[in-house]
Amino acid sequence: MTEGQGEREGAQRAREPLRVLVAEADEAHAREQTGGVLDLEGPLRRLGHDVTLEIHRDQGAALTALRGNHADLVVLDQALGEGFWRCLEAAREAAAPALAVVRDDDEAFALEAYRAGAADCVRLGEDFADLLPIAAFEQLRRLTHIQQRGEAARLGKTVDELRRYNQHIIQNMNSALVVVDPSARISYANPTAERLLGGEPGELMGSPLRRWFPSLEDDEILPLRTLADGAPYRGAEMVVARVDGRLIPIGMSCAPLIDGAGAREGVVAIFQDLTEIKQLERQVLQTEKMASIGQLAAGVAHEINNPMGFVHANLGQLSEYLDDLGKVWDRLEGLRAAAGSERIDADEVRRAAAELEAVIQEVDAGFLLRDFGTAIRESLEGSERIRSIVRDLRAFSYQDTGERVPTDVNRALDSTANIVWTMMKHSVVLTKQYDELPPISCHPVQLQQVFMNLLVNAYQAIEARAESEETLRGEIKLRTALEGDEVVIQVADNGTGIAPDVMKRIFDPFFTTKEVGVGMGLGLSTSFNLVEQLGGSLQVDSEVGRGSSFEVRLSLDPEDRVPARRAR
Amino acid sequence: MSELPVILLVDDERHILSALQRILRREGYELLTAASAGRAQEVLAERKVDLIVSDQKMPGTHGIDFFAELQRAGRRTPRVLLTGWPEEIPQRELDEAGVTALLPKPWDDAELKATLRRCLGLAEA
Ligand SMILES: Nc1ncnc2c1ncn2[C@@H]1O[C@H](COP(=O)(O)OP(=O)(O)O)[C@@H](O)[C@H]1O
Ligand SMILES: [Mg+2]
């Protein structure tokens, strides 16, 4: 054996493989998610480390592995359920840092995981593929940092390389990333952040974070909150001002930056430009509105067609009546001339009177005079009906100014219900029970869109049930009420009801159980978003074979509360 | 004097019935009215009717279904369907319901009168 070989072997021994243990609930899921971790193998090998990646789907096996051999990093999925907590406990006992993979929207779970000792939480959002390796690196970096303090000289180079690799990811990721130092200034911004904010390279560096959020209060600027309380925040929408002054919507997550010794060094924030997403959202909203309006148009046209039909027919008849009464008038003139001449000729007067009498009989003048009034009354009723349909339609299609205005919820519901009712009046009884309500600050058009979606769904559910139950008496009950600080709007139907497996998905975009052309599957998801934007909630209660009840809750403006509250 | 032809007008909209009666007032028919398919069946059970004119969209039984019922029951009375959306009803359904003629809603008075005369086998006025 040569000296060279001996050296290599010595080095090899020092490069213990890093064991990364992944515990996952479902295999396909696991493969998809651990793609990021698998990427660690290459770079770590370059550093002289091998990564052995163990994926466990069985929590028993995961626990045994955790307790048996030392793991350098443990990745645990929330979907493990109870197993998550047991594995986390085992990881803690084994002093192995644990990364929790948390559902995107489950902040509470993430907080609990932190509390139970998770080293970091990675949410399963769009960024997951970026975030997981970063989080894993961070943990491994700390690990190597701690492990190697004693042998810093020898391993200095490797730590450096690992840093450079980290840097590479951060420089090239699709999300903007900034680091904020404890004095609330930006101490690092990746190129995506510079592009997004429109600054020259380096321009962001050292600038106070507040400068970028002129429209927000301190406690609305997430990184400042994290700086203050050390807690991570995720997925909040904020408005950032670019260098050119343009305001753009962003979605931001941030976490405290902690050094190897556990002290806070500042905050790292990741964010994306939401401009395009917002535009898409608006388009979807418009499309959905158009689709529902298409469904309504036929009903409205039918509703206008009937009164239009008889008003038009009556006008034709009235004009004939007028002609006939004109004939009577002519004979009357004749009689007047005969009776009013200087020398009255009795025969002529008698003849004129007989002619008058004949034409009165011929045209049935008595009937004409009576029916003239009836026809006019019915026509007025018809035109009044058309007028009120147009008025409701106008209220309905009112251009949204994008501003919140004090809105009469009962009126918004009623005009929408009247319009939608035109298409279902043949099969549905509509009952209304409106409580007296104070105005709510919101976008009336959006509120009407929500009501329309709920009403159309209710109608369609009744129609679907009526197909198999001919005797069904369709019923939609509308109710509004003031409950404490909230306005409650209920739309209840006695349609098909919603099966539990469908229920789980009704708020998903594009989920529909209806035929192509009938349902787009966007009604409830857009409604949910609209109500959420108004700071309210949308809930459902349903039973198959009995019907469903959707409930919108909106809170009152603080100023409205006291004066508007009704005596109880 | 021979009896006047009897026409049964069926529509859930009262004012439509009354407008039709106005128009046909002097056409030399006896006019009967019914507000639904069910009421129309009752009239048919009691009276000899020469022509039925029915609205399509009505609560309960639609016009076309009412006509199809008559057809299944072997009744051959000529029948006219009044509808705002004539193109929505497939030809096959019209045939199966024995529809003699379609009239649009809103209608043209002269066309309405001519169609009814034709369906009754009367000479043009
Ligand atoms: N009132 C209701 N009764 C029964 N099922 C409903 C009701 N409202 C919604 N659903 C169910 O939720 C699904 C999604 O509704 P929605 O988002 O409005 O889309 P769409 O109506 O286009 O299908 C519907 O396809 C239906 O299965
Ligand atoms: Mg819908």
Side-chain angles (χ1 to χ4, degrees), chain A residues 127 130-131 134 166-178 190-193 195 268-272:
Chain A
D127 281 355
D130 283 338
L131 293 183
I134 292 175
N166 256 333
Q167 198 62 25
H168 178 77
I169 291 185
I170 291 171
Q171 296 265 340
N172 293 296
M173 65 197 250
N174 284 328
S175 300
L177 181 148
V178 297
N190 75 350
T192 309
R195 250 193 330 271
V268 55
I270 294 184
F271 52 101
Q272 293 95 20

Side-chain angles (χ1 to χ4, degrees), chain A residues 301-302 305-306 310 313-314 317 321 324 362 367-368 371 375 378 381 385 426, chain B residues 12-13 15-16 18-19 22-23 25-26 57-59 84-85 105-107 109:
Chain A
H302 185 266
N305 203 36
N306 259 344
F310 66 76
N314 287 344
Q317 288 308 301
Y321 287 8
D324 285 352
E362 183 204 323
F367 169 82
L368 292 189
D371 198 47
E378 290 177 359
E381 224 179 284
R385 253 159 65 185
H426 291 299
Chain B
D12 60 306
E13 174 81 63
H15 293 350
I16 291 274
S18 111
R22 262 181 209 112
I23 293 162
R25 182 172 65 97
R26 295 214 286 193
K57 211 160 206 159
M58 294 186 292
W85 285 264
K105 197 174 183 179
W107 58 85
D109 290 356

Side-chain angles (χ1 to χ4, degrees), chain A residues 413-434:
Chain A
L413 179 63
D414 203 54
S415 64
T416 312
N418 289 343
I419 287 298
V420 179
W421 193 67
T422 59
M423 76 179 199
M424 58 193 188
K425 65 172 188 168
H426 291 299
S427 48
V428 175
V429 177
L430 191 63
T431 61
K432 303 172 178 178
Q433 188 193 328
Y434 300 152

Side-chain angles (χ1 to χ4, degrees), chain A residues 288 292 295 452-454 456-458 460 512 514 518-524:
Chain A
E288 167 68 17
S292 320
Q295 287 180 318
M452 181 172 78
N453 288 332
L454 298 183
V456 169
N457 282 345
Q460 288 170 336
T512 179
K514 295 165 194 170
V518 176
M520 295 229 305
L522 289 172
L524 288 180

Side-chain angles (χ1 to χ4, degrees), chain A residues 122-140:
Chain A
V122 187
R123 67 193 173 93
L124 258 175
E126 284 169 38
D127 281 355
F128 183 71
D130 283 338
L131 293 183
L132 184 61
I134 292 175
F137 268 111
E138 183 57 26
Q139 294 308 321
L140 293 174

